[in-house]
Amino acid sequence: MHTLTVSEMSAGLRARKFSSLELTLHLLGRIERLGPGLNAFVTVTADRALADARAADERNAKGDGGPLTGVPVAHKDIFCTDGILTTCASRMLSNFVAPYDATVVRKWREAGTVLLGKTNMDEFAMGSSNETSFYGPVRNPWDHARVPGGSSGGSAAAVAARLAPIASGTDTGGSIRQPAALTNLTGLKPTYGRVSRYGMVAFASSLDQAGVLARSAEDAALLLEAMAGFDPNDSTSVDTPVPRYTAELKQPLQGLRIGLIKEFFGEGLDPAVERCVRGAIALLQREGAVVKDVSLPSLPLSVPTYYVVAPAECSSNLSRFDGVRFGHRCEQPKDLLDLYRRSRGEGFGDEVKRRIMTGTYVLSAGYYDAYYLKAQKCRALIAGDFARAFGEVDVVLSPTSPTAAFKLGAKTSDPIAMYLNDIYSIAANLAGLPGISIPCGFINDAGTELPVGMQLVGPHFGESRLLSVSHQYQLRTEWHKRAPKGYA
Ligand code: GLN
């Protein structure tokens, strides 16, 4: 049962081939057996899952269930879940039980999904390898010695290992797409504003966006439909109708105009990764897509721009964690200042502190113009490059990440090397655009088979096209169906 996609599970539930309770028990068994080796979950909500499953079975028996009623899911531990620990993988929030559901959590719950648990992640979503978690690193099911990517690495590992058919993630600079690429999944980051951020612990508010890690574009479409839409609780969510993404998957590849981002096929890209992506491009061409090179000359500014903007916003967002209202508080503070200092000093890990310090610096009087203001100008240039490209092509294509999964510990002592993992993904966040990563092949690294992802980015609210191109590609390829050894 665990090999089924969400769409197949949904069909099986509706045809009464199995109940949600049977499905849920089966997956909980796998999580118990295989979960600890991956460290994919911070919290497993077994009792809640069983209660959800029983309720879903009743709803389905009455015939008033929807396509997701009874389908098990996992949520990244950045989403507030009513009455359930919500840690953001930080010591700071290691005792925080959220008093309400995030909008994404509420919508999936109302659609009838079953909550299996909360997945591990980089602390406050800061990282590209899932090694900054207070709960320890997550392992990649394709090779336990390697990282699953980050920051949504727990969600990626859980879905890739068939512990959950789908999971939520968040993407501020690549945190859905990069782990999807490193674990052979389909990862969708919607347009900024497409999905409500209410109840999602804030990292960089102008960049953060919720999305999904799935095993097919079809599943991603199904779950996006259930999570997208305007939310009066999030003033940046956009009030435009949510398309029937699943109905639009049929759009043909014939005539699709694809732009290859010239700047993203150069130095730093592993030639073996490039070969996989080029193979996928050739297939799309054979199916009638028109491919041309496009130049987006400001895109190489993305990483430096992001590492000013994101820390600036995080330094402000994380100032609320002061040991008074939320989370960790130090023992026996001498006075108020000591309480702040020690609570924050003990509660945050190194990477989070590095970001808060950088952010405070770039926002400080005297440096604001030189860094923050300049970064905002670069951001406008990057958005302008994309806008021009979408005058000529429907989607732009590139690798998702310059390399396949790397070894645990390989980049932890060099923050810049770590930051460069997101070199191809960050620009979409700076411009607020939707992006998707889909499996497009495997490389062989000293005998280990490792998945490779390619990225498609579209114009604002162009999720439909990204999903249909991905779906059409997946109808013609088998990469996305491969499971890691020991988890099939
Ligand atoms: N890896 C990037 C960072 O460390 C992006 C993280 C994210 O998308 N949440 O900030």
Side-chain angles (χ1 to χ4, degrees), residues 136-163:
V138 176
R139 290 171 187 278
N140 190 324
W142 290 91
D143 176 3
H144 282 196
R146 293 177 196 254
V147 304
S151 65
S152 311
S155 285
V159 178
R162 278 71 178 154
L163 308 183

Tab-separated table of all heavy atoms in Angstrom, residues 136-163:
chain	number	residue	atom	x	y	z
A	136	GLY	N	18.892	16.839	15.331
A	136	GLY	CA	19.874	16.042	14.601
A	136	GLY	C	19.542	15.976	13.126
A	136	GLY	O	18.424	16.270	12.705
A	137	PRO	N	20.541	15.580	12.312
A	137	PRO	CA	20.359	15.578	10.862
A	137	PRO	C	19.382	14.501	10.395
A	137	PRO	O	19.186	13.484	11.057
A	137	PRO	CB	21.761	15.267	10.332
A	137	PRO	CG	22.469	14.599	11.456
A	137	PRO	CD	21.888	15.159	12.722
A	138	VAL	N	18.782	14.760	9.248
A	138	VAL	CA	17.952	13.763	8.567
A	138	VAL	C	18.851	13.060	7.567
A	138	VAL	O	19.764	13.666	7.000
A	138	VAL	CB	16.775	14.450	7.832
A	138	VAL	CG1	15.962	13.439	7.034
A	138	VAL	CG2	15.889	15.190	8.822
A	139	ARG	N	18.608	11.789	7.352
A	139	ARG	CA	19.414	11.034	6.385
A	139	ARG	C	18.650	10.827	5.091
A	139	ARG	O	17.428	10.719	5.105
A	139	ARG	CB	19.831	9.703	6.990
A	139	ARG	CG	20.846	9.920	8.086
A	139	ARG	CD	21.154	8.704	8.890
A	139	ARG	NE	22.005	9.092	10.016
A	139	ARG	CZ	23.316	9.251	9.928
A	139	ARG	NH1	23.945	9.014	8.794
A	139	ARG	NH2	24.018	9.631	10.975
A	140	ASN	N	19.394	10.763	4.012
A	140	ASN	CA	18.783	10.576	2.697
A	140	ASN	C	18.517	9.083	2.481
A	140	ASN	O	19.436	8.273	2.580
A	140	ASN	CB	19.740	11.108	1.615
A	140	ASN	CG	19.079	11.178	0.254
A	140	ASN	OD1	18.274	10.327	-0.105
A	140	ASN	ND2	19.427	12.205	-0.506
A	141	PRO	N	17.268	8.700	2.194
A	141	PRO	CA	16.975	7.270	2.003
A	141	PRO	C	17.745	6.637	0.838
A	141	PRO	O	17.909	5.424	0.807
A	141	PRO	CB	15.470	7.220	1.759
A	141	PRO	CG	14.997	8.623	1.618
A	141	PRO	CD	16.065	9.536	2.142
A	142	TRP	N	18.247	7.461	-0.089
A	142	TRP	CA	19.025	6.907	-1.206
A	142	TRP	C	20.416	6.504	-0.754
A	142	TRP	O	21.079	5.699	-1.401
A	142	TRP	CB	19.108	7.912	-2.361
A	142	TRP	CG	17.781	8.063	-3.026
A	142	TRP	CD1	16.818	8.980	-2.712
A	142	TRP	CD2	17.239	7.245	-4.060
A	142	TRP	NE1	15.703	8.771	-3.507
A	142	TRP	CE2	15.943	7.734	-4.348
A	142	TRP	CE3	17.723	6.156	-4.790
A	142	TRP	CZ2	15.126	7.154	-5.324
A	142	TRP	CZ3	16.917	5.591	-5.764
A	142	TRP	CH2	15.637	6.075	-6.023
A	143	ASP	N	20.908	7.097	0.320
A	143	ASP	CA	22.212	6.766	0.888
A	143	ASP	C	22.288	7.436	2.260
A	143	ASP	O	22.323	8.665	2.351
A	143	ASP	CB	23.337	7.295	-0.028
A	143	ASP	CG	24.720	7.066	0.575
A	143	ASP	OD1	24.811	6.446	1.661
A	143	ASP	OD2	25.708	7.521	-0.032
A	144	HIS	N	22.276	6.620	3.294
A	144	HIS	CA	22.210	7.166	4.652
A	144	HIS	C	23.407	8.039	5.023
A	144	HIS	O	23.356	8.783	5.994
A	144	HIS	CB	22.066	6.032	5.664
A	144	HIS	CG	20.676	5.497	5.730
A	144	HIS	ND1	20.219	4.713	6.752
A	144	HIS	CD2	19.618	5.657	4.901
A	144	HIS	CE1	18.952	4.393	6.541
A	144	HIS	NE2	18.573	4.953	5.426
A	145	ALA	N	24.490	7.942	4.252
A	145	ALA	CA	25.658	8.776	4.554
A	145	ALA	C	25.501	10.177	3.980
A	145	ALA	O	26.350	11.033	4.182
A	145	ALA	CB	26.912	8.125	3.992
A	146	ARG	N	24.390	10.392	3.247
A	146	ARG	CA	24.213	11.688	2.576
A	146	ARG	C	23.025	12.461	3.123
A	146	ARG	O	22.121	11.893	3.736
A	146	ARG	CB	23.996	11.469	1.073
A	146	ARG	CG	25.240	10.926	0.433
A	146	ARG	CD	25.024	10.629	-1.029
A	146	ARG	NE	26.094	9.785	-1.480
A	146	ARG	CZ	27.110	10.197	-2.256
A	146	ARG	NH1	27.161	11.429	-2.690
A	146	ARG	NH2	28.063	9.362	-2.591
A	147	VAL	N	23.026	13.769	2.830
A	147	VAL	CA	21.941	14.641	3.277
A	147	VAL	C	20.754	14.518	2.310
A	147	VAL	O	20.930	14.202	1.135
A	147	VAL	CB	22.404	16.111	3.345
A	147	VAL	CG1	23.630	16.257	4.230
A	147	VAL	CG2	22.679	16.688	1.954
A	148	PRO	N	19.553	14.773	2.829
A	148	PRO	CA	18.369	14.748	1.969
A	148	PRO	C	18.099	16.124	1.354
A	148	PRO	O	17.095	16.303	0.669
A	148	PRO	CB	17.255	14.405	2.961
A	148	PRO	CG	17.692	15.060	4.235
A	148	PRO	CD	19.205	15.003	4.245
A	149	GLY	N	18.972	17.108	1.634
A	149	GLY	CA	18.686	18.488	1.268
A	149	GLY	C	17.894	19.147	2.373
A	149	GLY	O	17.500	18.504	3.351
A	150	GLY	N	17.679	20.439	2.212
A	150	GLY	CA	16.946	21.153	3.258
A	150	GLY	C	16.359	22.431	2.705
A	150	GLY	O	16.563	22.756	1.547
A	151	SER	N	15.552	23.081	3.461
A	151	SER	CA	15.297	22.782	4.854
A	151	SER	C	14.175	21.770	5.071
A	151	SER	O	14.040	21.248	6.180
A	151	SER	CB	14.945	24.073	5.602
A	151	SER	OG	13.728	24.606	5.110
A	152	SER	N	13.395	21.447	4.031
A	152	SER	CA	12.292	20.493	4.230
A	152	SER	C	12.778	19.051	4.083
A	152	SER	O	12.117	18.222	3.438
A	152	SER	CB	11.163	20.774	3.220
A	152	SER	OG	10.809	22.132	3.197
A	153	GLY	N	13.908	18.737	4.676
A	153	GLY	CA	14.523	17.423	4.478
A	153	GLY	C	13.762	16.271	5.116
A	153	GLY	O	13.777	15.149	4.597
A	154	GLY	N	13.097	16.527	6.235
A	154	GLY	CA	12.318	15.466	6.877
A	154	GLY	C	11.122	15.084	6.016
A	154	GLY	O	10.817	13.897	5.826
A	155	SER	N	10.453	16.095	5.480
A	155	SER	CA	9.319	15.830	4.580
A	155	SER	C	9.799	15.056	3.363
A	155	SER	O	9.162	14.095	2.923
A	155	SER	CB	8.665	17.150	4.125
A	155	SER	OG	7.893	17.716	5.167
A	156	ALA	N	10.947	15.464	2.802
A	156	ALA	CA	11.481	14.800	1.614
A	156	ALA	C	11.836	13.351	1.916
A	156	ALA	O	11.456	12.438	1.169
A	156	ALA	CB	12.702	15.554	1.097
A	157	ALA	N	12.539	13.125	3.021
A	157	ALA	CA	12.947	11.758	3.361
A	157	ALA	C	11.725	10.879	3.609
A	157	ALA	O	11.674	9.724	3.175
A	157	ALA	CB	13.865	11.772	4.588
A	158	ALA	N	10.729	11.432	4.299
A	158	ALA	CA	9.528	10.640	4.626
A	158	ALA	C	8.787	10.221	3.354
A	158	ALA	O	8.335	9.079	3.245
A	158	ALA	CB	8.598	11.445	5.540
A	159	VAL	N	8.661	11.136	2.403
A	159	VAL	CA	7.913	10.811	1.182
A	159	VAL	C	8.743	9.892	0.276
A	159	VAL	O	8.229	8.933	-0.287
A	159	VAL	CB	7.462	12.101	0.444
A	159	VAL	CG1	6.730	11.755	-0.851
A	159	VAL	CG2	6.565	12.946	1.351
A	160	ALA	N	10.044	10.179	0.176
A	160	ALA	CA	10.905	9.339	-0.671
A	160	ALA	C	10.974	7.912	-0.139
A	160	ALA	O	11.031	6.954	-0.907
A	160	ALA	CB	12.304	9.941	-0.760
A	161	ALA	N	10.958	7.758	1.188
A	161	ALA	CA	11.050	6.435	1.808
A	161	ALA	C	9.689	5.743	1.917
A	161	ALA	O	9.574	4.682	2.526
A	161	ALA	CB	11.697	6.549	3.193
A	162	ARG	N	8.689	6.357	1.338
A	162	ARG	CA	7.326	5.781	1.340
A	162	ARG	C	6.794	5.590	2.766
A	162	ARG	O	6.137	4.605	3.076
A	162	ARG	CB	7.285	4.435	0.600
A	162	ARG	CG	7.168	4.508	-0.929
A	162	ARG	CD	8.384	4.982	-1.619
A	162	ARG	NE	8.223	4.992	-3.079
A	162	ARG	CZ	8.899	5.797	-3.900
A	162	ARG	NH1	9.784	6.661	-3.421
A	162	ARG	NH2	8.699	5.758	-5.187
A	163	LEU	N	7.113	6.571	3.638
A	163	LEU	CA	6.529	6.568	4.979
A	163	LEU	C	5.247	7.391	4.971
A	163	LEU	O	4.390	7.230	5.836
A	163	LEU	CB	7.509	7.153	6.001
A	163	LEU	CG	8.920	6.556	6.038
A	163	LEU	CD1	9.745	7.192	7.151
A	163	LEU	CD2	8.884	5.039	6.207
